[in-house]
Amino acid sequence: MSTLNKDQPEILKWASPDGEFRRKASSFRNTISKDPNAIYTAEKDRYHLYVSWACPWAHRTVIVRSLKGLDNLIGLSVVSYILGEKGWKFNTPEETPGAIPDNVNNAQYLRELYFKSDPNYGGRFTVPVLWDKKTQTIVNNESSEIIRIFNDAFDDFTPETKGVTYYPENLRTQIDEINEWVYDTVNNGVYKCGFATTQEAYNRNIEPLFKSLDRLEGILSKNEFLVGNTFTEADIRLWTTIIRFDPVYHTHFKTNKKTIAHDYPNILRWARQIYQMPKISDTVNMYHIKHHYFESHKQINPTGIVPINNGPDLAQPIIESKNV
């Protein structure tokens, strides 16, 4: 049984009583359609995206928003990197460089948007949030669904990226299959290790994590990308976890059996290749990433000291490591 202090703030109580971290399902699951008669139809300047630069789930949505050229169609607000007792907070860029205030609802905390959408809301106040300014509510707060919305719902407004898809129809079965085990053992796997409050819970999740990283290394030793040698959402979903692995998860979440920099040359080649694509590096704020985890998770790092390592240099020229 977990022995963590039962009096700690609710925001820090991530694990279940048995010590295992179980991620709660997202609550708002509507979509945006090209159909003009839909409740949520694609329109310019109707929707707003709320994210944290630190969060890997939110990071996915920022990447697809940028790659699809939606920056001028869908607004953006960025919370401070500190997750306090009231949840994510909005600061000015002067208070927190990299932050973008909420100029839509003028909220001080993200939680205000959840209660505005549902006064009886009882879940966690998570990012990303896709907000509808017309109906004054959250459309969706599930990152995997938001990136699919961004993938094609606004194509009629962006002729330069119309038809560019990160979920191609001929690869969907393979993408769904890899997403499933990567989510369970890697994306969420690092959290199941890091938020475990018993040795048994940690032990149950650490080996599946590295077994999957080994499997991914094997795939990328023979292929440029994860599925069909095509850059897809499967790559985007994994990449936001991988770039946080060495600078954060290896230390903070105790996933220290191996590192990306020294043990996974093909994953590293792939990570650098994606980082060096146009628009991708602009979505990475390593200061927010590191300071969020090491300063916010007081139950793991009570001193709030932030380690110096930023992980491998992703801007470094790519060394071909594939065994093809």
Side-chain angles (χ1 to χ4, degrees):
M1 179 172 291
S2 171
T3 57
L4 273 188
N5 186 354
K6 293 183 176 60
D7 296 326
Q8 65 182 320
E10 192 66 32
I11 197 76
L12 299 181
K13 294 178 181 178
W14 294 97
S16 301
D18 64 354
E20 189 89 25
F21 170 67
R22 296 179 177 87
R23 188 174 297 279
K24 301 289 192 298
S26 299
S27 303
F28 296 88
R29 308 296 287 271
N30 290 305
T31 193
I32 296 173
S33 171
K34 294 179 181 179
D35 180 355
N37 297 314
I39 296 175
Y40 303 107
T41 188
E43 296 179 37
K44 184 177 180 179
D45 200 34
R46 173 173 172 176
Y47 301 98
H48 196 81
L49 182 65
Y50 293 89
V51 302
S52 161
W53 294 128
C55 171
W57 317 99
H59 194 174
R60 304 168 170 184
T61 65
V62 180
I63 288 173
V64 179
R65 171 181 177 268
S66 183
L67 291 177
K68 289 291 294 187
L70 303 179
D71 308 57
N72 295 322
L73 292 175
I74 298 170
L76 184 71
S77 292
V78 180
V79 295
S80 172
Y81 55 82
I82 295 293
L83 183 65
E85 289 192 28
K86 291 185 178 180
W88 297 108
K89 186 178 186 299
F90 294 103
N91 283 345
T92 66
E94 291 72 31
E95 294 171 314
T96 304
I100 303 176
D102 176 16
N103 59 4
V104 173
N105 291 287
N106 297 312
Q108 286 189 297
Y109 291 91
L110 186 74
R111 62 190 292 151
E112 296 169 36
L113 306 182
Y114 279 85
F115 288 131
K116 191 171 185 178
S117 300
D118 178 4
N120 298 313
Y121 182 75
R124 288 189 174 272
F125 312 108
T126 59
V127 285
V129 164
L130 184 57
W131 180 266
D132 178 19
K133 293 188 281 187
K134 188 173 184 178
T135 61
Q136 291 286 291
T137 193
I138 296 172
V139 178
N140 198 298
N141 69 335
E142 169 51 52
S143 65
S144 64
E145 295 174 0
I146 294 174
I147 65 174
R148 298 245 176 116
I149 292 170
F150 288 175
N151 185 62
D152 59 17
F154 295 89
D155 271 8
D156 291 342
F157 298 91
T158 56
E160 66 280 6
T161 62
K162 186 172 184 176
V164 174
T165 178
Y166 302 104
Y167 191 52
E169 195 165 347
N170 65 314
L171 297 177
R172 287 181 181 180
T173 299
Q174 293 169 262
I175 291 170
D176 291 344
E177 287 174 354
I178 201 167
N179 281 347
E180 184 175 5
W181 61 265
V182 165
Y183 166 78
D184 183 49
T185 59
V186 181
N187 299 138
N188 202 37
V190 293
Y191 283 88
K192 288 192 281 188
C193 294
F195 286 158
T197 56
T198 66
Q199 189 67 50
E200 293 76 17
Y202 172 83
N203 291 347
R204 278 194 296 271
N205 293 291
I206 192 69
E207 290 305 326
L209 166 61
F210 283 97
K211 184 178 179 181
S212 287
L213 288 174
D214 292 346
R215 184 177 175 184
L216 290 162
E217 175 71 9
I219 292 171
L220 292 170
S221 73
K222 300 178 178 68
N223 302 278
E224 187 176 10
F225 298 109
L226 291 176
V227 178
N229 272 327
T230 302
F231 180 60
T232 70
E233 70 165 47
D235 297 288
I236 295 168
R237 287 169 53 126
L238 174 63
W239 189 80
T240 58
T241 295
I242 293 300
I243 67 161
R244 289 162 171 77
F245 195 91
D246 285 10
V248 175
Y249 303 144
H250 178 271
T251 302
H252 189 58
F253 282 173
K254 307 177 184 69
T255 59
N256 60 357
K257 184 178 180 179
K258 297 179 182 179
T259 66
I260 303 300
H262 298 292
D263 300 293
Y264 293 107
N266 291 292
I267 293 178
L268 180 57
R269 180 271 309 162
W270 163 90
R272 283 181 169 143
Q273 185 173 345
I274 294 174
Y275 181 83
Q276 293 172 33
M277 290 177 174
K279 299 185 177 182
I280 297 289
S281 63
D282 292 340
T283 69
V284 179
N285 188 319
M286 193 55 70
Y287 187 92
H288 275 232
I289 289 170
K290 288 175 58 180
H291 284 258
H292 161 66
Y293 285 95
F294 288 107
E295 292 187 40
S296 296
H297 298 158
K298 296 295 187 182
Q299 79 280 24
I300 297 174
N301 187 37
T303 63
I305 293 172
V306 182
I308 194 169
N309 180 31
N310 283 333
D313 181 4
L314 297 176
Q316 183 175 313
I318 297 166
I319 299 173
E320 196 68 26
S321 302
K322 296 186 293 178
N323 301 317
V324 293

